Amino acid sequence: MSKKILIVEDDVHISKIIKMNLNIVSYETMAVYDGEAALELVQQEKFDLILLDVMIPKLDGFELMKRIKPYNIPVIFLTAKNSVYDKVDGLKLGADDYMVKPFEAIELLARIETVLRRYDKEEQVMAFQTLLVDLDKREVTKKGEVVELTPKEYDLLVVLLKNRNIALSREQFIDKVWGAEYYGETRTVDMHIKSLRKKLELQDHIKTIYKLGYRLED
């Protein structure tokens, strides 16, 4: 499955060049030109990485970085600034890398590949509150004790974790966990959510979204 990258760059020409180069190597891309549009899109879509220009209108890159931090998406800052202080500020906010414009496409692609590879490796173990989920072992522990989950409960938990703080509909859960060919009732999602809440003591964290579905909150 191709990685999905959000390009947040207010220079339309630069944005189009970046998008073209990423599409050539089979990355899926979306582009916006200001911080508010980027924030709205991050709240609606799932991205594997964000290329974020610092000097963007409405909500600058540093402020946007603070707002999207809970979504746990790797970020590479793009900026015309070459100040050491700007780099430090960006990295302190949680950026994974920092590139100064102008840069060569081949260097950007190499940086993206490095960040995604590092992120994928780190994601083999996911943490939430007192839970640890080992994706390689398909094992869930709570406070160090293994919790037995059914295969679908486990898959549902992973979907919740990967979409933390994002509301998903019952239909989206069905598609991600049971698959597009599932023709049963969406009520099965409710039953599995109820079981996860009880087994993992997540009653205060798996929120019911009225007439939609569920959201996992910190």
Side-chain angles (χ1 to χ4, degrees):
M1 184 181 295
S2 63
K3 298 292 186 179
K4 190 173 182 180
I5 298 177
L6 175 62
I7 304 164
V8 189
E9 164 63 68
D10 65 327
D11 187 311
V12 177
H13 178 67
I14 293 176
S15 177
K16 286 183 176 179
I17 291 176
I18 293 173
K19 186 177 180 67
M20 178 187 68
N21 281 287
L22 295 185
N23 291 158
I24 287 173
V25 293
S26 299
Y27 287 118
E28 183 182 349
T29 59
M30 296 185 73
V32 291
Y33 307 102
D34 66 73
E36 288 183 358
L39 179 60
E40 183 176 346
L41 203 53
V42 167
Q43 292 169 338
Q44 297 173 352
E45 304 273 347
K46 179 76 169 68
F47 294 99
D48 297 289
L49 183 139
I50 298 175
L51 299 176
L52 177 57
D53 184 27
V54 174
M55 301 302 291
I56 49 177
K58 297 187 179 178
L59 203 63
D60 69 41
F62 290 146
E63 182 59 33
L64 178 62
M65 183 70 198
K66 295 176 186 176
R67 304 278 189 93
I68 65 176
K69 196 170 183 179
Y71 294 91
N72 198 32
I73 307 170
V75 172
I76 298 178
F77 269 127
L78 308 177
T79 180
K81 291 186 176 182
N82 198 15
S83 165
V84 172
Y85 297 106
D86 290 320
K87 292 182 181 180
V88 171
D89 287 343
L91 295 172
K92 277 184 177 180
L93 286 173
D96 295 84
D97 207 344
Y98 196 110
M99 294 191 67
V100 177
K101 296 182 284 188
F103 47 77
E104 296 293 332
I106 192 169
E107 181 185 2
L108 175 61
L109 293 173
R111 298 282 190 97
I112 289 172
E113 185 178 334
T114 298
V115 170
L116 287 174
R117 187 167 57 243
R118 182 171 66 236
Y119 191 78
D120 285 344
K121 184 177 180 181
E122 290 172 353
E123 282 289 284
Q124 291 311 304
V125 176
M126 304 178 73
F128 181 82
Q129 300 295 320
T130 58
L131 297 177
L132 284 179
V133 179
D134 189 314
L135 300 181
D136 285 333
K137 296 180 180 178
R138 286 183 64 91
E139 181 180 81
V140 179
T141 58
K142 180 176 177 63
K143 298 178 182 178
E145 297 292 327
V146 175
V147 181
E148 296 295 336
L149 299 180
T150 67
K152 293 304 183 187
E153 287 171 352
Y154 172 85
D155 292 341
L156 183 59
L157 174 62
V158 171
V159 169
L160 285 166
L161 288 169
K162 287 185 176 181
N163 294 275
R164 191 177 309 184
N165 296 314
I166 299 174
L168 296 179
S169 68
R170 290 172 175 83
E171 289 75 16
Q172 286 175 301
F173 283 115
I174 289 290
D175 184 55
K176 293 174 183 294
V177 176
W178 283 266
E181 297 181 357
Y182 176 82
Y183 293 106
E185 295 183 1
T186 56
R187 180 162 172 74
T188 190
V189 176
D190 302 329
M191 295 168 60
H192 282 76
I193 288 288
K194 181 179 179 180
S195 180
L196 279 183
R197 282 171 168 161
K198 184 177 180 180
K199 287 185 176 181
L200 302 176
E201 299 176 6
L202 292 175
Q203 291 88 345
D204 294 333
H205 298 285
I206 300 179
K207 304 292 186 179
T208 300
I209 309 303
Y210 182 61
K211 289 188 176 181
L212 178 68
Y214 298 95
R215 178 177 62 234
L216 180 67
E217 294 183 357
D218 294 322

